[in-house]
Amino acid sequence: MQTPPLARLYRASLPLALLGLALSSCGKPSSPPREVLPPVTETGLNKAGAMVNGTVWRALSANLFGPQAMRAHVFRTTGSGRGFEVSLSLTRQAPEGSEKYYPYPDSNISFFLPSVLAPGTFALDQAVTRPFPSEQGRYGLFSDYSTSPIGYYPTGTAQGQGQLVISRFDTVARVVAGTFEFTGQRDATLITITQGRFDISY
């Protein structure tokens, strides 16, 4: 007996419908992802992460037209003997529709150092004011864009202090890598960043 045309059409379209359903669910976890910090490296692997208030935070840009997960800008300064101006930006943007599975789903960790001559330890202790990014001083900043108004937690306040350690500063291979930890303060609220690490090719 010959199969009716509508039945043939249904059978032919079923695999395509199932494929579409599978693709539409890609990138949307059904349970919280198990994130771990990347290892501490200094070979330009473009990896970064930290513990933010005791929770794993990894640089992530899961949306096609979203910002870069990490950026480093290194510019030679005009002043004699001042070295290089360095700014780092680590972005976390969770996959669209899956924000509830990611702590701090839309946030950023950034740093500004006005003068870097070589690898070393840099205190994040100079006061800055908005707008961010700011070139007023040496600082670290945690920005939480998922709150309204945006939550900015800079160093350079009474309790907002920290340090950035650059272990590799290679302007020939264009790699900057190191570790960091700091506390950012907004009014009476603190954000504690520990076990931070970055390895960026720029």
Side-chain angles (χ1 to χ4, degrees):
M1 184 171 118
Q2 195 172 22
T3 306
L6 283 177
R8 288 200 303 271
L9 180 62
Y10 172 76
R11 287 180 185 172
S13 62
L14 184 59
L16 292 175
L18 292 175
L19 177 62
L21 182 62
L23 290 175
S24 68
S25 63
C26 287
K28 296 182 180 180
S30 58
S31 61
R34 183 180 179 274
E35 293 189 291
V36 296
L37 292 179
V40 176
T41 58
E42 49 183 46
T43 56
L45 294 179
N46 289 319
K47 303 285 185 183
M51 300 296 291
V52 176
N53 280 352
T55 302
V56 174
W57 185 102
R58 288 192 66 150
L60 169 70
S61 185
N63 298 322
L64 183 61
F65 299 106
Q68 288 179 263
M70 59 205 76
R71 296 190 311 274
H73 294 290
V74 178
F75 300 105
R76 186 178 293 278
T77 58
T78 56
S80 175
R82 292 192 59 207
F84 295 84
E85 178 184 287
V86 176
S87 60
L88 305 173
S89 176
L90 313 176
T91 296
R92 180 173 175 86
Q93 190 174 72
E96 189 173 348
S98 301
E99 291 85 354
K100 66 180 180 180
Y101 298 115
Y102 292 83
Y104 307 102
D106 189 7
S107 53
N108 178 274
I109 296 174
S110 56
F111 303 94
F112 179 76
L113 303 175
S115 178
V116 177
L117 293 168
T121 299
F122 302 86
L124 305 173
D125 57 0
Q126 296 180 351
V128 294
T129 56
R130 286 186 287 177
F132 297 112
S134 169
E135 297 182 1
Q136 297 170 329
R138 191 176 53 238
Y139 71 94
L141 171 70
F142 181 81
S143 303
D144 188 353
Y145 298 111
S146 60
T147 63
S148 183
I150 296 170
Y152 292 113
Y153 299 85
T155 57
T157 64
Q159 299 181 67
Q161 304 288 324
Q163 67 176 20
L164 176 73
V165 178
I166 296 181
S167 56
R168 182 178 180 187
F169 186 65
D170 191 331
T171 58
V172 176
R174 298 175 65 85
V175 172
V176 59
T179 60
F180 58 88
E181 59 180 26
F182 69 89
T183 297
Q185 182 175 11
R186 179 189 183 197
D187 300 324
T189 304
L190 303 177
I191 291 282
T192 302
I193 315 289
T194 58
Q195 300 181 50
R197 66 281 314 270
F198 62 95
D199 181 8
I200 305 175
S201 176
Y202 64 92

